[in-house]
Amino acid sequence: MAYRNGVFVVDTREGRIVQVIDSVGKRVFVRAPGGGAEWEVPFSALRLATREERDEAGLWPTGTWSRSRCPECPVLERAWREAAAGGDKMREATVLVALRGHERVVHMLLGVRA
């Protein structure tokens, strides 16, 4: 099993939520949610963050956003998937940053439910 880029996981060594940036074999590169320095974590030291853990950390709080009615979300997600499928890591990372920034600003900070 591998974690996809952008997913939130828990570094069980420290008990903190981190975001997957890249993975190669059993090497996983992560960073703090929202950015910052990246570091390597052994695959065996990670597990998926639960919804409750993400909510507690202020990531994607329940009821504050909905992708289903936002016209920008599907466009950004489609661009991210296409970049990932094309193997262009730089484009994939750029689009992922745009997608996460959109979610943070429009759906979390502004509280837009559309």
Side-chain angles (χ1 to χ4, degrees), residues 79-90:
W80 177 59
R81 285 192 185 102
E82 289 172 0
D88 184 345
K89 293 287 188 182
M90 182 60 75

Side-chain angles (χ1 to χ4, degrees), residues 97-110:
V97 167
L99 174 62
R100 296 300 184 231
H102 167 78
E103 290 173 341
R104 231 181 340 271
V105 171
V106 175
H107 299 294
M108 291 177 65
L109 295 179
L110 300 179

